[in-house]
Amino acid sequence: MSLSKNYVVRIFDMLFGAEINKFRIGQIFFISAVTVGLFFSDTTRKILLICALCCLTKEQISEKFYISWTKEQKITGSILLLLCAWIFLVPLIFGVDPLMERLQSTGWIIELMIWMWATFFFAKDFFFLENSKRFAIVACLLYSVLALCQRYSLGFVVDFSNWPLRLGAWSVGTILSVLLPWVLYDLMTSVSHKKTVGLLFALILISATLILTLYTTFWLVLVVQMVIALSLLQLFSTRNFFKMLVLISIPLIIAVIILYLASFFSKNLYNGFFVQLCQLSFDGFNAEKFTNQRYHIWVEAFDYIKLHPILGYGWAEFANFSVEKRIHTHSAFLQAAWTAGWPAVLLLIAFLSNLIYRCIVLMRNEKKLLIVPFVVLLVVFTYITCGILDDMFRATRRIVTLYWVTFVLMLTPLVNYDKNDINNQ
């Protein structure tokens, strides 16, 4: 057994260029789980988390990470704790489902809290940040290549479920869009021409993959992320804004032009784009058409929520009440209200607003782009953009994990680190 452990350590030494200890291996397992592991099954992701936790010592597990929190982090942490307590206890005690079903449903929030708890132990140093960035970029790039090749081999058939590694187009778009801020940060802070070219190429492939999901939500997310990223560059960086604007715009323009031209040679691709563009048409605006039939769902959900405004319905499925058997409310905020009442929505909004404020204040005070606030801010706006149109509150566990692990990075010691700090280590 010791021989096999030494062999694993030697492999990690070769990959990361320095003598690596047990905790470092745990960090790699955890980083893999929240980047590469997201493209695989839930079982793979959980195994990676268990392997990571097994690398922690008793002293590390018993460490009180919140002792070093600043006043601002304590406020953020208090809102998060209250939010978690509310959406755990209220559905459990007051949910309309039978007791056993309510008990089984608590597994969702318990698992999420375990992931957030684990983040506090592993997100401690430059090693974590640098490798999170590397793994995120590589994962996005490799999956985009795989997905584009598969889409091409299938003749760009409009299929929202048949994507590589048994993922659906919605899951692919969500994972790529939440990992994309790491790519954008590295691109905006890169000083190497070769690296910049490589990152631009990666951005083209990732953008093309997001567009090919044929979800207008991710098209909107792509635009929102670019606007926010460029705004942060203008406000908190001394780099040439116009040059970066051109660099960021070119990959998107190239991706759109390539896909547009390809649509003339692929009937499937043309039909897929045509359906989505018709939805975005403002000619004779129709709320049902523009929201892809979501408007009626929102109205119906809102009417039911008014009957249980404070405590909600718990983890009960919307389909049990909807006349048309709607699976969910197609809105993170309405789904939060459905599950635990309007107080849950207010706490969720308060938490996201606090993250936005904290990210901006930190970068304003330092007068430079900071990696964690930059990434978290873009992910918060991604959550809000997606959350308005889709149920990001009770999404699949891999998706929920990805968002909330990123959010709690603001409660770690990494919030003030920037690229120069990492490079100087």
Side-chain angles (χ1 to χ4, degrees), residues 28 118 147 244 260 284 340:
I28 294 301
M244 192 55 62
Y260 177 75

Side-chain angles (χ1 to χ4, degrees), residues 131-316:
N131 285 289
S132 293
K133 178 165 61 68
R134 288 176 182 172
F135 275 62
I137 293 172
V138 170
C140 287
L141 181 58
L142 291 181
Y143 192 86
S144 295
V145 171
L146 185 63
L148 290 173
C149 290
Q150 190 237 35
R151 293 292 92 195
Y152 175 77
S153 66
L154 296 177
F156 298 105
V157 61
V158 179
D159 190 334
F160 295 103
S161 60
N162 182 22
W163 281 65
L165 304 179
R166 298 183 179 181
L167 287 175
W170 185 84
S171 295
V172 172
T174 304
I175 296 170
L176 288 178
S177 62
V178 181
L179 293 179
L180 182 58
W182 295 95
V183 182
L184 292 174
Y185 177 84
D186 213 27
L187 176 61
M188 289 188 166
T189 56
S190 174
V191 294
S192 166
H193 293 300
K194 285 186 178 180
K195 188 174 184 179
T196 300
V197 171
L199 289 168
L200 287 173
F201 177 71
L203 185 58
I204 291 173
L205 295 181
I206 296 168
S207 301
T209 307
L210 285 170
I211 293 170
L212 281 176
T213 62
L214 298 180
Y215 276 96
T216 49
T217 301
F218 299 125
W219 298 1
L220 179 60
V221 165
L222 199 56
V223 174
V224 169
Q225 286 193 352
M226 298 304 171
V227 171
I228 298 297
L230 288 169
S231 299
L232 295 176
L233 181 75
Q234 173 74 353
L235 292 172
F236 308 119
S237 177
T238 57
R239 302 200 69 176
N240 188 302
F241 174 78
F242 181 75
K243 179 181 178 181
M244 192 55 62
L245 173 63
V246 173
L247 284 177
I248 292 292
S249 302
I250 286 176
L252 291 178
I253 294 172
I254 290 175
V256 170
I257 290 175
I258 290 174
L259 292 175
Y260 177 75
L261 293 175
S263 67
F264 287 102
F265 302 94
S266 170
K267 185 178 179 180
N268 290 327
L269 190 59
Y270 178 81
N271 290 338
F273 283 137
F274 181 75
V275 170
Q276 299 304 320
L277 291 173
C278 284
Q279 176 189 332
L280 295 176
S281 174
F282 286 92
D283 184 22
F285 179 79
N286 182 290
E288 276 292 283
K289 180 180 178 182
F290 186 74
T291 62
N292 197 19
Q293 313 305 315
R294 285 175 171 82
Y295 181 75
H296 178 69
I297 300 174
W298 295 337
V299 171
E300 184 183 8
F302 188 79
D303 288 339
Y304 276 110
I305 293 169
K306 286 193 296 185
L307 302 177
H308 293 76
I310 305 301
L311 302 175
Y313 291 85
W315 301 110

Side-chain angles (χ1 to χ4, degrees), residues 380-393:
V380 168
F381 276 100
T382 299
Y383 184 90
I384 293 172
T385 304
C386 290
I388 292 172
L389 301 169
D390 288 299
D391 175 21
M392 308 308 297
F393 182 75

Side-chain angles (χ1 to χ4, degrees), residues 11-32:
I11 291 176
F12 274 84
D13 286 345
M14 288 187 292
L15 289 174
F16 301 101
E19 185 177 351
I20 194 164
N21 57 32
K22 188 179 178 183
F23 179 69
R24 288 281 185 254
I25 295 175
Q27 285 180 302
I28 294 301
F29 279 131
F30 183 80
I31 292 167
S32 300

